[in-house]
Amino acid sequence: MLEDHLLDDRTLDDQRLDDRHTAGRYRPVSSHLAIAPPVSVVIPAMNEAENLPYVFKTLPDWIHEVVLVDGNSTDGTVRVARELWPDVKVVEQRGKGKGDALISGFAACTGDIIVMIDADGSADGHEIVSYVSALVSGADFAKGSRFANGGGTDDMTPIRKLGNHVLCSVVNAKFGARYTDLCYGYNAFWRHCLDRITLDCTGFEVETLMNIRVVKAGLKVQEIPSHEYDRIHGVSNLRAVRDGLRVLRVILKEKGVPRAARRRPRGVRPALPRPLPLPLTVRTGLAGTVASQGEVS
């Protein structure tokens, strides 16, 4: 009996050590869920000091890092960002345009998962868990959609909605995708995707370019329902006709570019009203509840 008792104690000690070791490798997402991949959030910003408090307060505290790409702001954007998130990584943009800013931000990321989000307060950081859920469930690229079941927008005029619908239909027809939204900048993806979709666009149309190239590369895409809110402060630089023509030029140009991969693209999975569950095994120990990716409990 004493031997059995000692064995039980050793087993318990081993379990405690294992739990502590495992807990250190996972980041809690909720009281019963944890993930292993570090998540980087990239925020391109230019004179968004008034909006950053609304953006940062919605970011989950379990993310690995925030990368703010500053486009030569003159309103204290960088100062405000550092006050709100002391560990924020600030990247000074050398060129111009949203595409240039995102490319610079991606290069500075150290996480395995990269999330791109706007700095105008139109996106809700609480939705990041939905994007990450889709990625750890098997998707390569989690694409936000305002028109998928469960999504919505408060910030699109009828002419912009029409233009987005037309351009989205063209991309679906030309590249075999099944997108419900095209020109939306709230997306997340595994870092390895950057090696397959080489970005060479510096302007606003970079979002469309990414959406096209992930399909051409045969990457697995999952649309995530997302709600876009009105810009809180300031005025948007978007111009429906001008930007629509720029997006159309990208589409036509990409149609003439060879596929990034020989295999047939798998297109986009049907949009879901809520994120898929994480493929995790949940373990509860003295160190807390932890989980391992790749198994289903």
Side-chain angles (χ1 to χ4, degrees), residues 69-84:
V69 185
D70 179 53
N72 300 307
S73 298
T74 58
D75 68 343
T77 290
V78 172
R79 174 183 55 79
V80 171
R82 286 176 172 152
E83 291 174 352
L84 295 168

Side-chain angles (χ1 to χ4, degrees), residues 17 149 192 206 216 265 293:
L17 289 173
N149 184 19
H192 70 77
V206 66
K216 292 174 65 176
Q293 182 182 346

Side-chain angles (χ1 to χ4, degrees), residues 271-282:
L272 299 177
R274 54 182 181 274
L276 292 172
L278 291 169
L280 300 169
T281 296
V282 177

Side-chain angles (χ1 to χ4, degrees):
M1 294 294 292
L2 178 60
E3 183 179 7
D4 291 341
H5 178 68
L6 291 175
L7 181 60
D8 290 341
D9 285 344
R10 285 196 297 271
T11 301
L12 180 59
D13 288 340
D14 290 342
Q15 179 64 46
R16 288 171 177 170
L17 289 173
D18 182 61
D19 284 337
R20 291 194 186 102
H21 174 70
T22 307
R25 294 187 293 117
Y26 293 91
R27 289 177 172 78
V29 174
S30 67
S31 60
H32 63 282
L33 185 65
I35 62 170
V39 177
S40 299
V41 176
V42 177
I43 307 175
M46 184 173 70
N47 295 327
E48 299 285 7
E50 290 186 285
N51 292 320
L52 288 185
Y54 300 90
V55 177
F56 278 70
K57 74 177 182 181
T58 68
L59 296 180
D61 57 9
W62 47 262
I63 60 178
H64 168 61
E65 66 182 354
V66 176
V67 178
L68 180 87
V69 185
D70 179 53
N72 300 307
S73 298
T74 58
D75 68 343
T77 290
V78 172
R79 174 183 55 79
V80 171
R82 286 176 172 152
E83 291 174 352
L84 295 168
W85 201 281
D87 295 330
V88 65
K89 181 183 293 185
V90 177
V91 177
E92 294 183 4
Q93 184 178 354
R94 301 297 183 183
K96 295 182 179 181
K98 186 174 185 179
D100 180 83
L102 287 173
I103 293 171
S104 299
F106 297 159
C109 290
T110 60
D112 295 330
I113 289 175
I114 298 175
V115 181
M116 44 190 282
I117 187 171
D118 289 339
D120 58 5
S122 63
D124 184 357
H126 293 112
E127 294 179 0
I128 289 177
V129 65
S130 300
Y131 290 81
V132 172
S133 296
L135 294 176
V136 299
S137 295
D140 296 306
F141 191 89
K143 179 190 177 305
S145 173
R146 296 160 292 187
F147 303 109
N149 184 19
T153 178
D154 301 330
D155 191 39
M156 287 190 77
T157 62
I159 186 64
R160 285 179 57 201
K161 286 183 180 180
L162 176 61
N164 186 65
H165 174 73
V166 171
L167 294 169
C168 189
S169 298
V170 172
V171 168
N172 289 344
K174 296 293 184 181
F175 301 99
R178 287 183 289 160
Y179 290 138
T180 59
D181 198 353
L182 183 67
C183 307
Y184 190 42
Y186 199 171
N187 303 302
F189 52 90
W190 291 99
R191 172 184 290 277
H192 70 77
C193 292
L194 293 174
D195 298 328
R196 304 283 299 276
I197 63 170
T198 307
L199 298 177
D200 51 9
C201 173
T202 61
F204 155 82
E205 59 273 24
V206 66
E207 295 153 0
T208 297
L209 182 68
M210 293 179 72
N211 292 333
I212 292 175
R213 288 191 175 173
V214 294
V215 173
K216 292 174 65 176
L219 297 173
K220 186 181 294 184
V221 181
Q222 174 70 58
E223 278 199 335
I224 305 298
S226 177
H227 192 97
E228 178 188 40
Y229 298 90
D230 287 322
R231 164 182 276 275
I232 299 174
H233 296 286
V235 179
S236 173
N237 292 321
L238 293 178
R239 299 293 181 269
V241 177
R242 178 200 65 185
D243 294 331
L245 291 176
R246 289 168 64 178
V247 169
L248 181 59
R249 282 195 293 270
V250 167
I251 296 172
L252 296 178
K253 179 181 177 182
E254 284 300 300
K255 184 56 182 174
V257 177
R259 294 183 186 276
R262 290 182 178 275
R263 64 188 179 187
R264 184 177 180 181
R266 285 171 284 183
V268 183
R269 290 181 177 182
L272 299 177
R274 54 182 181 274
L276 292 172
L278 291 169
L280 300 169
T281 296
V282 177
R283 302 178 56 201
T284 303
L286 297 180
T289 300
V290 297
S292 58
Q293 182 182 346
E295 299 177 353
V296 181
S297 58

